[in-house]
């Protein structure tokens, strides 16, 4: 294995670690939808970006890397946008937070 | 992978086809019926694609024209070309279905089969 | 081997999704399950070695979701649809009928599995070898699927385009139309935040460029007219998301669609039916490439206009009229 | 590389459970968005393993179409619930 591959595997491992930690956030008991959204979308965007960067390093300077960068740009714009729109739609439709343990959202 | 004599790519589309058929029998919501018809179409398309390809086949696109490929590792292009047109036709049929549903809803103000049928029989009764 | 195992796991998830759809109680749950179902379906197509079909399914799933969700929003907005659904959900199920239906369907499924010959008898035919090893000389390009639907079986494409025209005409004649909504350039009722508009402004040009790329590379790599057309139509959807104005001329788009359809018929007559691209001469490959790109471009325009008309018809014009207008709209429709 | 593929496939299961049992419709929508993200990673890794660059086009179209579908579902469902809430107040 060359140095390039080892570096790419380390970066992809970091991304996968992020995603696996995100599952704990998704299944916290006594937490509501806004908490899950806050955890899941950030973790997801970061994980996808990290894995994409790892793959780009693995392939070096090629046509494949250019397409990965295009996908990264699209994901960077669209994934937070989707999180924003889902949260805004839930808030506007009157969905109220049901957190009872003191750190609930105040709106 | 095969189950008995039958390949996985045959048994799963057949299962989904009959599951959606069962759903068409038991459900009374028209929107759900349209979705289930789309499901049946999807399963038929997957069955057709499984006719000419096996799992892990490479697509019939030759980036390097001079290289010689083993034909048994390439997916069959004919079902793909047929199914490409079938998908577009399917969405056109779905659009017409939804338009007809809108017209029905405008007339009867419901999306359930049963009340709609009752109202329709009331309409067709001759005036005495 | 790993890819085969991946696909088998996805197939199991696919069937589970279908069962969710059948037993879902609310209509919006059906919509979300259907979205997940389409997403998984397109990946299975990809692993079967069919990237063109997979891309078509991915683009179609977005449009199917939009059509369904607009339709559901229409009948939910009146409230009576919701009441009807609640009433039907509150009724107790007849378990005898349920079991009888299940037995009937299981019997049909068993009959089908045991008496229909397996597909391994049909796979790997000689026709496939003919297509795979002759298409570069006969039609040109590097993509066998494009070569089949633009060369060997061009009649299929012609009738598919005819069917799309028919569908658009049928939708327009069956749905309710108000001329003033288009003329006023009215804004949509759905609110958007400033962040949505900003992000969509970044994504819009990328989608348009990507659609051009798909159409131009349709004969060399995966892609082609249908998928490029879907990308163009997604660009128009994004434009609606940014501006939210119903000011685009639908009637002109319909005229253009019919014009493009006539061109789709004329071009193969001059290129294929006269044998023009089959001469093995000096410039054959150039002519073949010109024919393929032009045909892909026309098909893409056709699909883009068709979906554009369908989308605007659903989103903008087809509004549920008030109670007094209901009867009137129906009288217009039936004449 | 196949390890990454296997982990992504395993991650489909909890998000699928979230789609199935989610208490509100917004949880289901969130699960759908996350599943779309995982599948994009699966496609990218498949393209990288099999060295077929043109599969990246599929990933781009997939990202755009899946996200636009999600955005439309969210916007229209919020409109519906808002209108219903207003009717309840009236």
């Amino acid at each position: 294995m060359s140095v390039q591959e080892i570096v790419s595997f380390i970066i992809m491992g970091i991304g996968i670690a992020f995603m696996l930690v995100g599952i704990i956030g998704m299944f916290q008991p006594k937490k509501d939808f806004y908490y899950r959204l806050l955890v899941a979308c950030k973790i997801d965007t970061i994980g996808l970006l990290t894995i994409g960067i790892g793959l780009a390093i693995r392939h070096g300077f090629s046509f494949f890397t250019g397409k990965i960068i295009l996908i990264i740009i699209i994901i960077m714009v669209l994934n937070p946008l989707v999180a924003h729109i889902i949260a805004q739609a839930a808030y506007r439709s009157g969905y109220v937070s049901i957190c009872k343990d003191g750190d609930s959202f105040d709106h | 992978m095969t189950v008995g004599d039958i390949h996985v790519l045959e048994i799963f589309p057949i299962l989904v086809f009959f599951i959606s058929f069962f759903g068409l029998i038991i459900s009374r919501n028209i929107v759900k019926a349209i979705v289930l018809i789309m499901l049946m179409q999807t399963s038929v398309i997957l069955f057709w694609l499984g006719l000419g390809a096996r799992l892990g086949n490479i697509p019939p696109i030759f980036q390097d024209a001079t290289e010689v490929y083993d034909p048994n590792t390439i997916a069959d292009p004919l079902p793909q070309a047929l199914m490409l047109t079938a998908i577009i036709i399917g969405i056109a049929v779905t659009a017409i279905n939804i338009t007809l549903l809108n017209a029905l809803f405008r007339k009867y103000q419901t999306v359930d089969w049963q009340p709609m049928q009752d109202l329709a029989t009331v309409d067709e009764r001759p005036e005495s | 081997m790993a890819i085969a195992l991946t696909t088998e796991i996805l197939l199991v998830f696919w069937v589970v999704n279908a069962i969710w759809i059948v037993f879902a109680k609310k209509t919006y749950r059906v919509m979300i399950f259907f979205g997940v179902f389409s997403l998984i379906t397109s990946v299975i197509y990809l692993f079967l070695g069919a990237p063109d079909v997979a891309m078509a399914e991915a683009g179609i799933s977005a449009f199917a979701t939009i059509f369904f969700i607009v339709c559901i929003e229409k009948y939910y907005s009146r409230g009576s649809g919701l009441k009807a659904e609640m009433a039907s959900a509150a009724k107790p199920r007849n378990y005898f009928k349920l079991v009888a239906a299940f037995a009937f369907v299981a019997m049909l499924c068993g009959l089908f599995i045991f008496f229909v010959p397996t597909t391994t008898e049909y796979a790997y035919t000689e026709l496939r070898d003919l297509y795979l090893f002759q298409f570069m000389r006969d039609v040109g390009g590097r993509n066998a699927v494009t070569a089949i639907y633009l060369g060997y079986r061009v009649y299929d494409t012609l009738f598919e385009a005819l069917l799309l025209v028919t569908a658009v005409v049928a939708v327009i004649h069956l749905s309710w139309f108000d001329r003033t909504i288009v003329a006023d350039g009215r804004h949509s009722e759905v609110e958007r935040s400033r962040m949505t508009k900003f992000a969509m402004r970044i994504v819009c040009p990328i989608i348009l460029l990507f659609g051009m790329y798909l159409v131009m590379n349709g004969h060399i790599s995966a892609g082609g007219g249908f998928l490029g057309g879907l990308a163009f139509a997604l660009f128009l959807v994004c434009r609606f998301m940014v501006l939210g104005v119903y000011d685009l001329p639908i009637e002109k788009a319909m005229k253009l669609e019919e014009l493009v359809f006539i061109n789709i018929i004329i071009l193969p007559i001059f290129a294929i039916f006269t044998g023009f691209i089959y001469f093995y001469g000096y410039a054959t490959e150039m002519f073949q490439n010109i024919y393929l790109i032009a045909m892909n471009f026309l098909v893409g325009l056709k699909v883009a206009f068709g979906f554009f008309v369908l989308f605007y018809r659903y989103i903008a014009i087809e509004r549920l009229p008030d109670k007094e207008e209901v009867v009137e709209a129906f009288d217009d429709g039936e004449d | 590389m196949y390890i990454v593929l296997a982990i992504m496939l395993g991650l489909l299961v909890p998000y699928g459970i979230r789609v199935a049992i989610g208490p509100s419709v917004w949880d289901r929508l969130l699960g759908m968005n996350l599943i779309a993200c995982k599948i994009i990673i699966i496609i990218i890794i498949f393209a990288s393993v099999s060295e077929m660059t043109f599969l990246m086009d599929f990933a781009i179209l997939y990202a755009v179409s899946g996200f636009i579908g999600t955005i439309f579902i969210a916007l229209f469902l919020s409109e519906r619930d808002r209108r219903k809430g207003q009717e309840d107040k009236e």
Side-chain angles (χ1 to χ4, degrees), chain A residues 19 23 26-27 33 36 44 55 59 67-68 71 79 82 89 92-93 95, chain D residues 1 8 11 14 18 26-27 33-34 37-38 41 44 48 56-57 59 78 81:
Chain A
M19 284 188 162
I23 287 201
M26 275 297 276
F27 285 91
F33 161 70
R36 277 179 223 125
D44 214 59
L55 278 177
H59 278 264
K67 281 189 176 174
I68 280 189
I71 280 189
N79 211 343
V82 170
R92 196 181 279 158
S93 75
Y95 182 85
Chain D
M1 295 297 277
M8 288 306 135
L11 279 173
R18 181 50 74 196
W26 310 111
D27 282 304
N33 181 22
L34 296 175
C37 260
K38 296 298 163 300
I41 297 178
I44 293 174
S48 166
M56 298 298 285
D57 298 343
S78 81
D81 285 352

mmCIF file of all heavy atoms in Angstrom, chain A residues 19 23 26-27 33 36 44 55 59 67-68 71 79 82 89 92-93 95, chain D residues 1 8 11 14 18 26-27 33-34 37-38 41 44 48 56-57 59 78 81:
data_model
loop_
_atom_site.group_PDB
_atom_site.id
_atom_site.type_symbol
_atom_site.label_atom_id
_atom_site.label_comp_id
_atom_site.label_asym_id
_atom_site.label_seq_id
_atom_site.Cartn_x
_atom_site.Cartn_y
_atom_site.Cartn_z
ATOM 1 N N MET A 19 -20.220 8.931 11.198
ATOM 2 C CA MET A 19 -21.559 8.417 10.885
ATOM 3 C C MET A 19 -22.038 7.429 11.944
ATOM 4 O O MET A 19 -23.210 7.411 12.294
ATOM 5 C CB MET A 19 -21.543 7.740 9.532
ATOM 6 C CG MET A 19 -21.522 8.720 8.410
ATOM 7 S SD MET A 19 -21.747 7.893 6.887
ATOM 8 C CE MET A 19 -22.225 9.246 5.884
ATOM 9 N N ILE A 23 -25.571 7.563 14.820
ATOM 10 C CA ILE A 23 -26.682 6.641 15.119
ATOM 11 C C ILE A 23 -27.117 6.770 16.570
ATOM 12 O O ILE A 23 -28.310 6.713 16.879
ATOM 13 C CB ILE A 23 -26.237 5.198 14.835
ATOM 14 C CG1 ILE A 23 -26.177 5.020 13.337
ATOM 15 C CG2 ILE A 23 -27.213 4.211 15.422
ATOM 16 C CD1 ILE A 23 -26.242 3.621 12.927
ATOM 17 N N MET A 26 -29.411 9.474 16.777
ATOM 18 C CA MET A 26 -30.716 9.234 16.161
ATOM 19 C C MET A 26 -31.656 8.479 17.092
ATOM 20 O O MET A 26 -32.866 8.602 16.992
ATOM 21 C CB MET A 26 -30.545 8.401 14.887
ATOM 22 C CG MET A 26 -30.218 9.175 13.661
ATOM 23 S SD MET A 26 -31.490 10.305 13.196
ATOM 24 C CE MET A 26 -32.574 9.237 12.277
ATOM 25 N N PHE A 27 -31.097 7.648 17.996
ATOM 26 C CA PHE A 27 -31.972 6.806 18.814
ATOM 27 C C PHE A 27 -31.916 7.147 20.298
ATOM 28 O O PHE A 27 -32.076 6.289 21.134
ATOM 29 C CB PHE A 27 -31.618 5.327 18.600
ATOM 30 C CG PHE A 27 -32.117 4.839 17.282
ATOM 31 C CD1 PHE A 27 -31.326 4.912 16.149
ATOM 32 C CD2 PHE A 27 -33.400 4.344 17.159
ATOM 33 C CE1 PHE A 27 -31.806 4.488 14.928
ATOM 34 C CE2 PHE A 27 -33.867 3.917 15.933
ATOM 35 C CZ PHE A 27 -33.072 3.990 14.822
ATOM 36 N N PHE A 33 -38.044 15.387 17.561
ATOM 37 C CA PHE A 33 -37.609 15.477 16.176
ATOM 38 C C PHE A 33 -36.513 16.506 15.975
ATOM 39 O O PHE A 33 -35.556 16.259 15.245
ATOM 40 C CB PHE A 33 -38.812 15.807 15.305
ATOM 41 C CG PHE A 33 -38.449 16.352 13.978
ATOM 42 C CD1 PHE A 33 -37.867 15.527 13.030
ATOM 43 C CD2 PHE A 33 -38.648 17.671 13.670
ATOM 44 C CE1 PHE A 33 -37.508 16.025 11.819
ATOM 45 C CE2 PHE A 33 -38.297 18.166 12.456
ATOM 46 C CZ PHE A 33 -37.730 17.349 11.538
ATOM 47 N N ARG A 36 -33.089 15.214 16.798
ATOM 48 C CA ARG A 36 -32.599 14.247 15.815
ATOM 49 C C ARG A 36 -32.116 14.936 14.550
ATOM 50 O O ARG A 36 -31.099 14.579 13.974
ATOM 51 C CB ARG A 36 -33.711 13.262 15.463
ATOM 52 C CG ARG A 36 -33.828 12.155 16.452
ATOM 53 C CD ARG A 36 -34.948 11.234 16.070
ATOM 54 N NE ARG A 36 -35.695 10.882 17.248
ATOM 55 C CZ ARG A 36 -36.985 11.042 17.390
ATOM 56 N NH1 ARG A 36 -37.698 11.549 16.411
ATOM 57 N NH2 ARG A 36 -37.578 10.697 18.499
ATOM 58 N N ASP A 44 -24.275 13.714 8.901
ATOM 59 C CA ASP A 44 -24.381 13.128 7.573
ATOM 60 C C ASP A 44 -23.578 13.920 6.552
ATOM 61 O O ASP A 44 -22.833 13.354 5.753
ATOM 62 C CB ASP A 44 -25.851 13.103 7.187
ATOM 63 C CG ASP A 44 -26.154 11.906 6.374
ATOM 64 O OD1 ASP A 44 -25.926 10.805 6.874
ATOM 65 O OD2 ASP A 44 -26.591 12.074 5.234
ATOM 66 N N LEU A 55 -11.794 9.527 -1.025
ATOM 67 C CA LEU A 55 -11.774 8.894 -2.352
ATOM 68 C C LEU A 55 -11.008 9.747 -3.349
ATOM 69 O O LEU A 55 -10.290 9.222 -4.210
ATOM 70 C CB LEU A 55 -13.203 8.679 -2.844
ATOM 71 C CG LEU A 55 -13.897 7.442 -2.310
ATOM 72 C CD1 LEU A 55 -15.316 7.403 -2.809
ATOM 73 C CD2 LEU A 55 -13.173 6.210 -2.777
ATOM 74 N N HIS A 59 -7.689 8.594 -5.608
ATOM 75 C CA HIS A 59 -7.602 8.532 -7.060
ATOM 76 C C HIS A 59 -6.635 9.538 -7.654
ATOM 77 O O HIS A 59 -6.423 9.526 -8.865
ATOM 78 C CB HIS A 59 -8.990 8.748 -7.674
ATOM 79 C CG HIS A 59 -9.795 7.503 -7.681
ATOM 80 N ND1 HIS A 59 -9.874 6.672 -8.756
ATOM 81 C CD2 HIS A 59 -10.535 6.919 -6.717
ATOM 82 C CE1 HIS A 59 -10.635 5.633 -8.465
ATOM 83 N NE2 HIS A 59 -11.050 5.764 -7.227
ATOM 84 N N LYS A 67 -15.225 14.821 -10.843
ATOM 85 C CA LYS A 67 -16.649 14.539 -10.626
ATOM 86 C C LYS A 67 -16.959 14.444 -9.147
ATOM 87 O O LYS A 67 -18.035 14.868 -8.696
ATOM 88 C CB LYS A 67 -17.033 13.253 -11.347
ATOM 89 C CG LYS A 67 -17.228 13.492 -12.822
ATOM 90 C CD LYS A 67 -17.821 12.292 -13.494
ATOM 91 C CE LYS A 67 -18.076 12.614 -14.949
ATOM 92 N NZ LYS A 67 -18.520 11.458 -15.675
ATOM 93 N N ILE A 68 -16.024 13.883 -8.357
ATOM 94 C CA ILE A 68 -16.268 13.816 -6.905
ATOM 95 C C ILE A 68 -16.370 15.219 -6.321
ATOM 96 O O ILE A 68 -17.219 15.499 -5.464
ATOM 97 C CB ILE A 68 -15.146 13.014 -6.221
ATOM 98 C CG1 ILE A 68 -15.419 11.529 -6.396
ATOM 99 C CG2 ILE A 68 -15.087 13.318 -4.743
ATOM 100 C CD1 ILE A 68 -14.531 10.671 -5.608
ATOM 101 N N ILE A 71 -19.762 16.562 -6.996
ATOM 102 C CA ILE A 71 -20.759 15.988 -6.078
ATOM 103 C C ILE A 71 -20.640 16.624 -4.703
ATOM 104 O O ILE A 71 -21.643 16.931 -4.048
ATOM 105 C CB ILE A 71 -20.575 14.462 -5.986
ATOM 106 C CG1 ILE A 71 -21.206 13.817 -7.193
ATOM 107 C CG2 ILE A 71 -21.223 13.914 -4.738
ATOM 108 C CD1 ILE A 71 -21.275 12.351 -7.102
ATOM 109 N N ASN A 79 -27.579 19.518 1.065
ATOM 110 C CA ASN A 79 -27.922 18.757 2.267
ATOM 111 C C ASN A 79 -28.305 19.660 3.446
ATOM 112 O O ASN A 79 -29.340 19.438 4.086
ATOM 113 C CB ASN A 79 -26.752 17.837 2.628
ATOM 114 C CG ASN A 79 -27.206 16.574 3.279
ATOM 115 O OD1 ASN A 79 -28.326 16.496 3.737
ATOM 116 N ND2 ASN A 79 -26.353 15.592 3.321
ATOM 117 N N VAL A 82 -31.773 20.986 2.689
ATOM 118 C CA VAL A 82 -32.887 20.083 2.982
ATOM 119 C C VAL A 82 -33.185 20.069 4.476
ATOM 120 O O VAL A 82 -34.352 20.106 4.896
ATOM 121 C CB VAL A 82 -32.571 18.669 2.464
ATOM 122 C CG1 VAL A 82 -33.586 17.684 2.962
ATOM 123 C CG2 VAL A 82 -32.573 18.655 0.971
ATOM 124 N N ALA A 89 -40.357 23.649 7.763
ATOM 125 C CA ALA A 89 -41.699 23.147 7.489
ATOM 126 C C ALA A 89 -42.328 22.582 8.756
ATOM 127 O O ALA A 89 -43.519 22.802 9.027
ATOM 128 C CB ALA A 89 -41.642 22.069 6.410
ATOM 129 N N ARG A 92 -43.322 25.518 10.945
ATOM 130 C CA ARG A 92 -44.459 26.281 10.421
ATOM 131 C C ARG A 92 -45.758 25.500 10.534
ATOM 132 O O ARG A 92 -46.833 26.077 10.672
ATOM 133 C CB ARG A 92 -44.180 26.639 8.963
ATOM 134 C CG ARG A 92 -45.077 27.719 8.441
ATOM 135 C CD ARG A 92 -44.770 27.994 7.008
ATOM 136 N NE ARG A 92 -43.621 28.862 6.860
ATOM 137 C CZ ARG A 92 -42.900 28.929 5.759
ATOM 138 N NH1 ARG A 92 -43.210 28.170 4.743
ATOM 139 N NH2 ARG A 92 -41.876 29.723 5.675
ATOM 140 N N SER A 93 -45.649 24.166 10.466
ATOM 141 C CA SER A 93 -46.876 23.380 10.537
ATOM 142 C C SER A 93 -47.383 23.237 11.962
ATOM 143 O O SER A 93 -48.420 22.615 12.181
ATOM 144 C CB SER A 93 -46.633 21.991 9.961
ATOM 145 O OG SER A 93 -45.899 21.225 10.878
ATOM 146 N N TYR A 95 -45.608 21.893 14.636
ATOM 147 C CA TYR A 95 -45.086 20.759 15.404
ATOM 148 C C TYR A 95 -44.324 21.310 16.601
ATOM 149 O O TYR A 95 -43.385 22.090 16.451
ATOM 150 C CB TYR A 95 -44.164 19.924 14.515
ATOM 151 C CG TYR A 95 -43.609 18.696 15.181
ATOM 152 C CD1 TYR A 95 -44.335 17.517 15.207
ATOM 153 C CD2 TYR A 95 -42.366 18.715 15.795
ATOM 154 C CE1 TYR A 95 -43.839 16.401 15.814
ATOM 155 C CE2 TYR A 95 -41.860 17.596 16.403
ATOM 156 C CZ TYR A 95 -42.600 16.441 16.407
ATOM 157 O OH TYR A 95 -42.104 15.329 17.012
ATOM 158 N N MET D 1 -12.103 -1.233 0.888
ATOM 159 C CA MET D 1 -13.222 -0.477 0.302
ATOM 160 C C MET D 1 -14.544 -1.199 0.534
ATOM 161 O O MET D 1 -15.575 -0.576 0.744
ATOM 162 C CB MET D 1 -13.018 -0.310 -1.201
ATOM 163 C CG MET D 1 -11.824 0.515 -1.573
ATOM 164 S SD MET D 1 -11.987 2.189 -0.987
ATOM 165 C CE MET D 1 -12.968 2.883 -2.273
ATOM 166 N N MET D 8 -22.012 1.028 5.139
ATOM 167 C CA MET D 8 -23.111 1.851 4.614
ATOM 168 C C MET D 8 -24.394 1.029 4.493
ATOM 169 O O MET D 8 -25.490 1.505 4.795
ATOM 170 C CB MET D 8 -22.734 2.411 3.241
ATOM 171 C CG MET D 8 -21.702 3.485 3.286
ATOM 172 S SD MET D 8 -22.204 4.780 4.392
ATOM 173 C CE MET D 8 -20.720 5.059 5.279
ATOM 174 N N LEU D 11 -25.847 0.729 7.821
ATOM 175 C CA LEU D 11 -26.475 1.972 8.283
ATOM 176 C C LEU D 11 -27.859 2.172 7.688
ATOM 177 O O LEU D 11 -28.647 2.963 8.211
ATOM 178 C CB LEU D 11 -25.595 3.170 7.910
ATOM 179 C CG LEU D 11 -24.422 3.459 8.830
ATOM 180 C CD1 LEU D 11 -23.574 4.551 8.244
ATOM 181 C CD2 LEU D 11 -24.934 3.897 10.176
ATOM 182 N N PRO D 14 -30.890 1.073 10.544
ATOM 183 C CA PRO D 14 -31.479 1.955 11.565
ATOM 184 C C PRO D 14 -32.261 3.110 10.972
ATOM 185 O O PRO D 14 -33.320 3.481 11.513
ATOM 186 C CB PRO D 14 -30.266 2.453 12.357
ATOM 187 C CG PRO D 14 -29.093 2.139 11.554
ATOM 188 C CD PRO D 14 -29.431 0.948 10.755
ATOM 189 N N ARG D 18 -36.128 4.106 11.410
ATOM 190 C CA ARG D 18 -36.617 5.460 11.711
ATOM 191 C C ARG D 18 -37.722 5.858 10.751
ATOM 192 O O ARG D 18 -38.701 6.499 11.143
ATOM 193 C CB ARG D 18 -35.425 6.430 11.655
ATOM 194 C CG ARG D 18 -35.698 7.847 11.946
ATOM 195 C CD ARG D 18 -36.472 8.052 13.203
ATOM 196 N NE ARG D 18 -35.714 7.850 14.425
ATOM 197 C CZ ARG D 18 -36.293 7.674 15.615
ATOM 198 N NH1 ARG D 18 -37.599 7.653 15.722
ATOM 199 N NH2 ARG D 18 -35.562 7.493 16.675
ATOM 200 N N TRP D 26 -42.289 14.197 10.023
ATOM 201 C CA TRP D 26 -40.994 14.851 9.765
ATOM 202 C C TRP D 26 -39.849 13.890 10.046
ATOM 203 O O TRP D 26 -38.818 13.933 9.384
ATOM 204 C CB TRP D 26 -40.885 16.108 10.620
ATOM 205 C CG TRP D 26 -42.100 16.937 10.481
ATOM 206 C CD1 TRP D 26 -43.046 17.163 11.412
ATOM 207 C CD2 TRP D 26 -42.525 17.615 9.305
ATOM 208 N NE1 TRP D 26 -44.043 17.942 10.906
ATOM 209 C CE2 TRP D 26 -43.744 18.238 9.620
ATOM 210 C CE3 TRP D 26 -42.003 17.765 8.025
ATOM 211 C CZ2 TRP D 26 -44.454 18.992 8.701
ATOM 212 C CZ3 TRP D 26 -42.702 18.518 7.119
ATOM 213 C CH2 TRP D 26 -43.913 19.112 7.463
ATOM 214 N N ASP D 27 -40.036 12.968 11.014
ATOM 215 C CA ASP D 27 -39.017 11.946 11.254
ATOM 216 C C ASP D 27 -38.858 11.052 10.039
ATOM 217 O O ASP D 27 -37.741 10.705 9.641
ATOM 218 C CB ASP D 27 -39.416 11.104 12.467
ATOM 219 C CG ASP D 27 -39.130 11.813 13.757
ATOM 220 O OD1 ASP D 27 -37.982 12.196 13.956
ATOM 221 O OD2 ASP D 27 -40.066 11.991 14.554
ATOM 222 N N ASN D 33 -34.242 11.268 3.714
ATOM 223 C CA ASN D 33 -33.094 12.067 3.290
ATOM 224 C C ASN D 33 -31.784 11.365 3.639
ATOM 225 O O ASN D 33 -30.858 11.296 2.827
ATOM 226 C CB ASN D 33 -33.189 13.433 3.983
ATOM 227 C CG ASN D 33 -32.085 14.348 3.610
ATOM 228 O OD1 ASN D 33 -31.485 14.164 2.575
ATOM 229 N ND2 ASN D 33 -31.809 15.308 4.455
ATOM 230 N N LEU D 34 -31.709 10.792 4.850
ATOM 231 C CA LEU D 34 -30.473 10.124 5.267
ATOM 232 C C LEU D 34 -30.214 8.872 4.434
ATOM 233 O O LEU D 34 -29.061 8.584 4.071
ATOM 234 C CB LEU D 34 -30.566 9.767 6.749
ATOM 235 C CG LEU D 34 -30.655 10.966 7.691
ATOM 236 C CD1 LEU D 34 -30.860 10.511 9.101
ATOM 237 C CD2 LEU D 34 -29.407 11.787 7.589
ATOM 238 N N CYS D 37 -28.652 9.846 1.244
ATOM 239 C CA CYS D 37 -27.223 10.149 1.417
ATOM 240 C C CYS D 37 -26.389 8.881 1.436
ATOM 241 O O CYS D 37 -25.346 8.795 0.785
ATOM 242 C CB CYS D 37 -27.015 10.905 2.720
ATOM 243 S SG CYS D 37 -26.846 12.647 2.486
ATOM 244 N N LYS D 38 -26.854 7.872 2.189
ATOM 245 C CA LYS D 38 -26.100 6.623 2.276
ATOM 246 C C LYS D 38 -25.987 5.983 0.904
ATOM 247 O O LYS D 38 -24.937 5.437 0.532
ATOM 248 C CB LYS D 38 -26.793 5.659 3.240
ATOM 249 C CG LYS D 38 -26.859 6.130 4.649
ATOM 250 C CD LYS D 38 -25.499 6.317 5.216
ATOM 251 C CE LYS D 38 -25.572 7.164 6.461
ATOM 252 N NZ LYS D 38 -26.129 8.514 6.212
ATOM 253 N N ILE D 41 -23.337 7.472 -1.204
ATOM 254 C CA ILE D 41 -21.992 6.982 -0.859
ATOM 255 C C ILE D 41 -21.769 5.597 -1.452
ATOM 256 O O ILE D 41 -20.681 5.293 -1.975
ATOM 257 C CB ILE D 41 -21.812 6.962 0.667
ATOM 258 C CG1 ILE D 41 -21.908 8.374 1.213
ATOM 259 C CG2 ILE D 41 -20.459 6.395 1.031
ATOM 260 C CD1 ILE D 41 -21.798 8.433 2.693
ATOM 261 N N ILE D 44 -20.915 5.995 -5.077
ATOM 262 C CA ILE D 44 -19.568 6.531 -5.303
ATOM 263 C C ILE D 44 -18.524 5.431 -5.092
ATOM 264 O O ILE D 44 -17.579 5.273 -5.877
ATOM 265 C CB ILE D 44 -19.306 7.710 -4.352
ATOM 266 C CG1 ILE D 44 -20.198 8.897 -4.676
ATOM 267 C CG2 ILE D 44 -17.870 8.171 -4.465
ATOM 268 C CD1 ILE D 44 -20.071 10.004 -3.686
ATOM 269 N N SER D 48 -15.910 3.761 -7.715
ATOM 270 C CA SER D 48 -14.472 3.760 -7.469
ATOM 271 C C SER D 48 -13.890 2.352 -7.553
ATOM 272 O O SER D 48 -12.803 2.156 -8.088
ATOM 273 C CB SER D 48 -14.195 4.369 -6.095
ATOM 274 O OG SER D 48 -12.880 4.102 -5.704
ATOM 275 N N MET D 56 -20.541 8.150 -11.958
ATOM 276 C CA MET D 56 -20.650 9.358 -11.140
ATOM 277 C C MET D 56 -21.767 10.268 -11.627
ATOM 278 O O MET D 56 -22.373 10.990 -10.842
ATOM 279 C CB MET D 56 -19.331 10.110 -11.144
ATOM 280 C CG MET D 56 -18.187 9.330 -10.566
ATOM 281 S SD MET D 56 -18.448 8.918 -8.875
ATOM 282 C CE MET D 56 -18.138 10.485 -8.132
ATOM 283 N N ASP D 57 -22.058 10.233 -12.946
ATOM 284 C CA ASP D 57 -23.194 10.997 -13.477
ATOM 285 C C ASP D 57 -24.472 10.588 -12.775
ATOM 286 O O ASP D 57 -25.304 11.424 -12.394
ATOM 287 C CB ASP D 57 -23.361 10.743 -14.974
ATOM 288 C CG ASP D 57 -22.162 11.181 -15.756
ATOM 289 O OD1 ASP D 57 -21.377 11.963 -15.191
ATOM 290 O OD2 ASP D 57 -22.020 10.752 -16.899
ATOM 291 N N ALA D 59 -24.703 9.383 -9.798
ATOM 292 C CA ALA D 59 -24.724 9.908 -8.430
ATOM 293 C C ALA D 59 -25.194 11.354 -8.409
ATOM 294 O O ALA D 59 -25.983 11.753 -7.542
ATOM 295 C CB ALA D 59 -23.343 9.784 -7.803
ATOM 296 N N SER D 78 -46.089 21.047 4.892
ATOM 297 C CA SER D 78 -46.182 22.161 5.836
ATOM 298 C C SER D 78 -47.362 23.048 5.490
ATOM 299 O O SER D 78 -48.082 23.518 6.381
ATOM 300 C CB SER D 78 -44.899 22.972 5.814
ATOM 301 O OG SER D 78 -44.903 23.848 4.726
ATOM 302 N N ASP D 81 -50.548 21.277 6.816
ATOM 303 C CA ASP D 81 -50.747 21.306 8.258
ATOM 304 C C ASP D 81 -51.063 22.715 8.744
ATOM 305 O O ASP D 81 -51.848 22.909 9.661
ATOM 306 C CB ASP D 81 -49.495 20.777 8.963
ATOM 307 C CG ASP D 81 -49.405 19.276 8.831
ATOM 308 O OD1 ASP D 81 -50.380 18.697 8.336
ATOM 309 O OD2 ASP D 81 -48.372 18.708 9.196
#
